[in-house]
């Protein structure tokens, strides 16, 4: 019956992901974190959810928890299948914590995965343009070499 169906927990992690996004837009950060954790229970090891949880912890000014989530996302998605977001978020957190060296290291990894970041005005890594210039030069050199083949 319909009443029985209402009592069942959804088994699709996307349900919880969308619920988390709604909770977040409503300003219900704790509930959003809970929804993402439920999504992770159904889809363990999905880096994207760890990144989102890290972003929410950062929003709550809980950098230690955010750090754990961003590092977990990176350990699950080292090559940026979910784009560069994990690295950029971790770099932004290190920047916020005043650790320039670690911030630059993460922003470099983000650039290697997605060089077009340089064109985005909202990318926090742009603040370290001088330190990232070698990485950009290397990326451009690789592009030229690839395009000449």
């Amino acid at each position: 019956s319909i009443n029985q169906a209402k009592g069942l927990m959804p088994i699709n992690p996307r349900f919880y992901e969308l619920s988390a996004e709604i909770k977040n837009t409503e300003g219900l950060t704790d509930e959003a974190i809970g929804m993402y954790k439920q999504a992770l229970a159904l889809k363990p090891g999905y880096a994207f959810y760890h990144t989102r949880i890290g972003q929410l912890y950062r929003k709550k000014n809980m950098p230690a928890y955010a750090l754990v989530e961003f590092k977990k996302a990176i350990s699950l998605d080292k090559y940026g299948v979910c784009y560069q977001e994990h690295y950029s978020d971790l770099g932004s957190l290190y920047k916020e914590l005043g650790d320039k060296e670690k911030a630059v290291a993460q922003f470099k990894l983000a650039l290697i995965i997605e060089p077009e970041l340089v064109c985005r005005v909202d990318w926090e890594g742009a603040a370290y343009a001088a330190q990232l210039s070698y990485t950009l030069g290397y990326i451009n050199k690789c592009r030229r070499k690839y395009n000449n083949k």
Side-chain angles (χ1 to χ4, degrees):
S1 82
I2 222 111
N3 288 334
Q4 287 176 316
K6 286 181 182 176
L8 296 175
M9 296 295 293
I11 58 170
N12 186 338
R14 185 85 169 117
F15 168 83
Y16 294 106
E17 177 186 338
L18 294 174
S19 297
E21 290 173 15
I22 291 167
K23 296 290 185 190
N24 187 35
T25 58
E26 294 172 345
L28 302 170
T29 308
D30 289 328
E31 287 88 342
I33 290 170
M35 289 289 145
Y36 277 121
K37 287 184 177 182
Q38 285 185 282
L40 271 173
L42 295 170
K43 195 172 184 179
Y46 189 50
F48 175 78
Y49 295 152
H50 286 285
T51 295
R52 288 292 187 247
I53 293 169
Q55 291 168 344
L56 292 169
Y57 280 134
R58 187 171 171 213
K59 181 179 175 180
K60 287 182 53 129
N61 198 25
M62 299 174 73
Y65 288 94
L67 188 66
V68 168
E69 294 298 331
F70 293 146
K71 285 183 175 183
K72 180 68 175 176
I74 288 169
S75 74
L76 293 167
D77 184 27
K78 290 180 179 85
Y79 304 108
V81 174
C82 291
Y83 310 102
Q84 49 61 39
E85 194 167 12
H86 326 310
Y87 296 101
S88 286
D89 282 331
L90 186 54
S92 295
L93 181 60
Y94 282 135
K95 177 183 172 192
E96 195 175 284
L97 295 172
D99 194 333
K100 182 180 176 180
E101 190 175 309
K102 286 183 180 178
V104 169
Q106 295 306 312
F107 289 135
K108 281 182 182 180
L109 292 169
L111 263 181
I112 289 168
I113 293 167
E114 193 175 335
E116 289 75 23
L117 282 172
V118 177
C119 302
R120 288 185 27 198
V121 291
D122 64 334
W123 186 57
E124 290 187 60
Y128 300 111
Q131 292 89 345
L132 298 173
S133 62
Y134 174 79
T135 304
L136 290 171
Y138 174 75
I139 290 167
N140 288 331
K141 181 179 174 183
C142 290
R143 280 186 174 160
R144 284 190 302 274
K145 188 174 184 179
Y146 177 79
N147 289 332
N148 287 335
K149 287 188 174 192

